[in-house]
Amino acid sequence: MTTKYGLPEEVKFCKRCVMSNQRPVSYPEFKHKPDRKAPTIHFDEDGICDACRYAEQKEQIDWQSREEQLLQLLDKYRRNDGQYDCIVPGSGGKDSAIAAHLLKYKYGMHPLTVTWPPIMYTDYGFQNWKNWIEVGGFDNESHKPNGRVQRLLTKLSIQNLLHPFQTFILGQKNLAPKVALRHQIPLVFYGENEAEYGNPIADNSTSLRDKSFYTTQHLNEIYLGGVSIPELQEKYDIDLVDLLPYLPADHQQLQAFPLEVHYLGYYLKWTPQEAYYYAVENTGFQARPFRTQGTYSKYNSIDDKIDDLHYYTTFMKFGIGRATYDASQEIRNGHVTREEGVALVHKYDGEFPDRYFREVMDYIGLDPEEFMELCDAARSPHLWEQVNGDWTLRHQVS
Ligand SMILES: [Zn+2]
């Protein structure tokens, strides 16, 4: 049977969490084209996914010696001359909140926080960002890109890739290194390493972020919304200056400046639930009083109205919705059992996110019916079948 996106033909579910082997692993966004073949998460011979194996390894880590390594790194860069000594990118969500707060108030660093705002702020997202700065107490630089261009690129990324969140991911990944270069701040700290959730385990053995995620030497290798830079300029009449916010830092500038990009989660044991409690306590973070559609949680990634749609599209493309991501992580952290996780996936995965749907479609100027047609066209036949006129997953976690 043919599969889309180069997905593995045989669908398997991890024996420990509820993740399936269809989950793509991190891949430089700006290389993403309609015909890309996504590398997917590795399962070992016992049927356990790399994310679960990494969670197991994490239990063996000597966190005290990791913290000592962190102290050495911070001692090397700490400044007391009134200048910033590090950058913490983020939205004021729980992870960036705890990262910035620990660095400034526990470790005596002088972070500049840097924000790539959501495409469409939720009220809670905007309030949490404000509280991060006001209650947490940080300087912040936000970079809001040209709205007309962002709407167009978001629409193209849906039409060409069914990937509504691409402009956000690109801006968010690329902004901090560029701000670091501009201000000559040599240290950037992200919170947790997304590789923990499924990249090859070797990626987690270093605290340094892979440079391929934020540099590239050639402009014509870069695609936004699945369209090349020259085509965006010619066909859509977009000025290069309006595309720059999405592009990686200049390769030559990066080579000339010794920038280090680290994950705090490499040095400190990081669990989402603890980050949540810490952020509530110290930076005025608030969960939403209502459940996020497509899952059961109230505090993960609640800043952007488009986020819910993003997970709906992963459900279409890979058969993996937001509840699968959330439950897998919580099983690994010991907060829910696998049996509970399976029930949560059956109950919430793939729920249609209608709360902001119309508003999002109006904003980017996409016909809701076209969106639904794009979703159906994105369903890989090895994952989906029609039963009595309804789309049904061929394989479900059990
Ligand atoms: Zn697993």
Side-chain angles (χ1 to χ4, degrees), residues 69-81 83-87 103 107-111 184-189 208 257-262 267:
Q69 288 174 44
L70 174 66
L71 293 178
Q72 282 176 13
L73 176 74
L74 299 180
D75 284 346
K76 184 176 158 196
Y77 286 105
R78 190 180 294 103
R79 297 181 68 157
N80 288 300
D81 60 352
Q83 303 291 319
Y84 302 117
D85 44 29
C86 61
I87 283 182
L103 284 167
Y107 297 112
M109 298 297 283
H110 308 90
Q184 302 281 290
I185 301 169
L187 192 55
V188 175
F189 271 108
L208 289 172
F257 185 69
L259 177 64
E260 292 196 29
V261 181
H262 291 257
Y267 299 103

Side-chain angles (χ1 to χ4, degrees), residues 277-298:
Y277 290 123
Y278 188 97
V280 169
E281 184 88 3
N282 294 289
T283 72
F285 181 80
Q286 283 181 293
R288 286 193 292 202
F290 50 84
R291 177 180 67 77
T292 299
Q293 289 177 311
T295 188
Y296 57 93
S297 75
K298 294 180 177 176

Side-chain angles (χ1 to χ4, degrees), residues 297-313:
S297 75
K298 294 180 177 176
Y299 61 73
N300 285 321
S301 298
I302 54 174
D303 310 325
D304 200 326
K305 291 179 178 172
I306 294 192
D307 208 355
D308 302 355
L309 218 51
H310 168 63
Y311 285 100
Y312 186 70
T313 62

Side-chain angles (χ1 to χ4, degrees), residues 120-349:
M120 296 175 77
Y121 258 122
T122 62
D123 292 345
Y124 279 86
F126 188 59
Q127 192 61 46
N128 282 330
W129 172 75
K130 265 176 48 182
N131 285 357
W132 187 32
I133 307 310
E134 302 285 344
V135 179
F138 303 101
D139 284 7
N140 178 268
E141 271 190 31
S142 290
H143 188 103
K144 176 77 183 156
N146 178 326
R148 281 172 54 190
V149 172
Q150 189 174 36
R151 285 198 297 276
L152 174 63
L153 292 176
T154 301
K155 184 176 172 177
L156 289 172
S157 58
I158 292 176
Q159 288 174 321
N160 296 328
L161 311 168
L162 196 65
H163 189 5
F165 219 32
Q166 193 191 41
T167 59
F168 177 79
I169 294 172
L170 279 166
Q172 189 240 12
K173 280 209 162 90
N174 293 321
L175 177 65
K178 287 190 284 191
V179 175
L181 288 174
R182 199 179 304 140
H183 293 300
Q184 302 281 290
I185 301 169
L187 192 55
V188 175
F189 271 108
Y190 287 89
E192 59 179 352
N193 185 348
E194 66 260 42
E196 282 188 17
Y197 300 128
N199 277 12
I201 283 178
D203 290 3
N204 300 335
S205 59
T206 166
S207 66
L208 289 172
R209 200 179 173 100
D210 179 353
K211 281 207 165 64
S212 69
F213 282 97
Y214 61 88
T215 67
T216 192
Q217 294 188 57
H218 306 292
L219 219 52
N220 57 9
E221 288 174 6
I222 298 179
Y223 290 77
L224 300 175
V227 183
S228 72
I229 297 288
E231 197 183 343
L232 285 167
Q233 292 176 291
E234 286 155 31
K235 191 168 161 192
Y236 298 94
D237 199 25
I238 301 178
D239 203 311
L240 186 59
V241 75
D242 290 321
L243 297 174
L244 281 182
Y246 306 95
L247 303 189
D250 180 78
H251 185 73
Q252 280 175 334
Q253 278 184 28
L254 268 176
Q255 286 211 314
F257 185 69
L259 177 64
E260 292 196 29
V261 181
H262 291 257
Y263 299 99
L264 209 51
Y266 174 83
Y267 299 103
L268 304 170
K269 194 169 183 188
W270 205 270
T271 67
Q273 208 173 56
E274 283 164 31
Y276 164 66
Y277 290 123
Y278 188 97
V280 169
E281 184 88 3
N282 294 289
T283 72
F285 181 80
Q286 283 181 293
R288 286 193 292 202
F290 50 84
R291 177 180 67 77
T292 299
Q293 289 177 311
T295 188
Y296 57 93
S297 75
K298 294 180 177 176
Y299 61 73
N300 285 321
S301 298
I302 54 174
D303 310 325
D304 200 326
K305 291 179 178 172
I306 294 192
D307 208 355
D308 302 355
L309 218 51
H310 168 63
Y311 285 100
Y312 186 70
T313 62
T314 63
F315 188 65
M316 296 295 117
K317 291 188 284 189
F318 316 121
I320 301 166
R322 192 160 179 173
T324 297
Y325 285 94
D326 286 347
S328 293
Q329 190 192 70
E330 293 212 311
I331 292 168
R332 285 176 214 128
N333 289 324
H335 298 308
V336 300
T337 65
R338 190 174 187 282
E339 199 184 347
E340 288 164 341
V342 169
L344 289 166
V345 170
H346 289 173
K347 187 160 182 194
Y348 296 117
D349 233 20

